[in-house]
Amino acid sequence: VAWDILLEDDFKNLRRCMFPTEKEFKHFRQLIVNTVMATDIFDKELGALRKARWEKCFHPEQFPFLEVDKQDAFNRKATIVIEHIIQASDVAHTMQHWHVYLKWNERLFHEMLLAYRQGRSDKDPTDGWYKGELWFFDNYVIPLAHKLKECGVFGVSSAEYLQYATENRDEWERKGQEMCTRMVANFSELHKTDK
């Protein structure tokens, strides 16, 4: 929808400023596609490609045989960083204060439980939510926070994101089962008239 709006006649002057040439237009379009695709965190093939691109950008010493034009290297690095920023924005609550994490975690839980109870989902989130969150922190959130710190885009805030992610993971390990019980009770209270 946003892309269609951008292509409307009302925005032709904006488009001329953003990408004055056909080549820049295609590059911008590809950047948008890559960014949207980066939010699909469960596609293992895309994840492996992103990981390989990250290594080439941030650990080029591992690829001495690669001869890369400086502009191409800059563009590749910018693209991969943007992809990781959009991923971080998708799970930003996991890298903030514990109370922020809990608030949004519970809202997601309620959304998924409601979908299950209404028959719009086959998966009951009450089965494994506690362990699923631990897995998510260990295999996605904390590695992502490490990458944000490594790329340096957020400056000193990157260390804060990593610290919050690690602390939230540890706190969830200690209190998560109790939180799951509370989230189910809160859901039941909110939806007790929804029969």
Side-chain angles (χ1 to χ4, degrees), residues 76-178:
R76 184 180 296 121
K77 188 177 265 189
T79 299
I80 197 74
V81 167
I82 289 169
E83 289 175 8
H84 282 76
I85 289 171
I86 196 76
Q87 288 174 338
S89 69
D90 208 22
V91 297
H93 67 288
T94 63
M95 298 180 212
Q96 295 180 43
H97 189 275
W98 170 249
H99 297 290
V100 174
Y101 163 69
L102 277 184
K103 173 184 173 180
W104 292 102
N105 185 41
E106 183 167 6
R107 287 181 180 189
L108 176 60
F109 177 83
H110 284 197
E111 181 182 326
M112 295 178 80
L113 184 55
L114 184 62
Y116 173 74
R117 297 251 172 108
Q118 292 177 340
R120 295 181 289 116
S121 173
D122 295 333
K123 188 168 177 15
D124 182 350
T126 60
D127 297 337
W129 191 267
Y130 169 74
K131 287 185 179 178
E133 284 296 291
L134 291 175
W135 182 94
F136 191 57
F137 273 112
D138 292 341
N139 295 282
Y140 186 73
V141 174
I142 292 172
L144 177 59
H146 276 289
K147 286 180 176 176
L148 293 175
K149 185 177 178 185
E150 182 180 4
C151 74
V153 168
F154 294 110
V156 295
S157 295
S158 298
E160 189 176 287
Y161 302 148
L162 178 57
Q163 179 182 345
Y164 275 130
T166 304
E167 288 173 358
N168 286 341
R169 189 256 182 241
D170 293 343
E171 193 81 1
W172 183 260
E173 186 172 30
R174 287 191 300 278
K175 298 178 179 176
Q177 290 180 320
E178 175 190 336

Side-chain angles (χ1 to χ4, degrees), residues 4 30 35 40 45 47 50-51 71 78 105 119 127 129 153 158 186 195:
D4 288 342
Q30 187 60 51
T35 303
D40 184 354
E45 189 176 320
R50 256 191 312 278
K51 185 176 181 177
Q71 188 62 45
N105 185 41
D127 297 337
W129 191 267
V153 168
S158 298
N186 290 347
K195 297 282 183 196

Side-chain angles (χ1 to χ4, degrees), residues 14-103:
L14 174 62
R15 289 193 308 272
R16 276 193 213 123
C17 291
M18 291 174 62
F19 30 78
T21 68
E22 182 69 20
K23 181 180 177 183
E24 290 172 324
F25 171 80
K26 288 179 180 179
H27 180 76
F28 181 80
R29 171 78 172 153
Q30 187 60 51
L31 182 62
I32 296 297
V33 169
N34 286 353
T35 303
V36 171
M37 295 299 290
T39 63
D40 184 354
I41 62 174
F42 296 108
D43 186 315
K44 290 181 181 182
E45 189 176 320
L46 284 176
L49 288 171
R50 256 191 312 278
K51 185 176 181 177
R53 284 199 321 274
W54 181 274
E55 292 302 315
K56 285 179 185 173
C57 289
F58 287 94
H59 303 283
E61 68 280 358
Q62 296 175 13
F63 305 90
F65 53 88
L66 271 183
E67 290 185 29
V68 180
D69 175 84
K70 284 188 179 193
Q71 188 62 45
D72 286 345
F74 177 83
N75 288 343
R76 184 180 296 121
K77 188 177 265 189
T79 299
I80 197 74
V81 167
I82 289 169
E83 289 175 8
H84 282 76
I85 289 171
I86 196 76
Q87 288 174 338
S89 69
D90 208 22
V91 297
H93 67 288
T94 63
M95 298 180 212
Q96 295 180 43
H97 189 275
W98 170 249
H99 297 290
V100 174
Y101 163 69
L102 277 184
K103 173 184 173 180

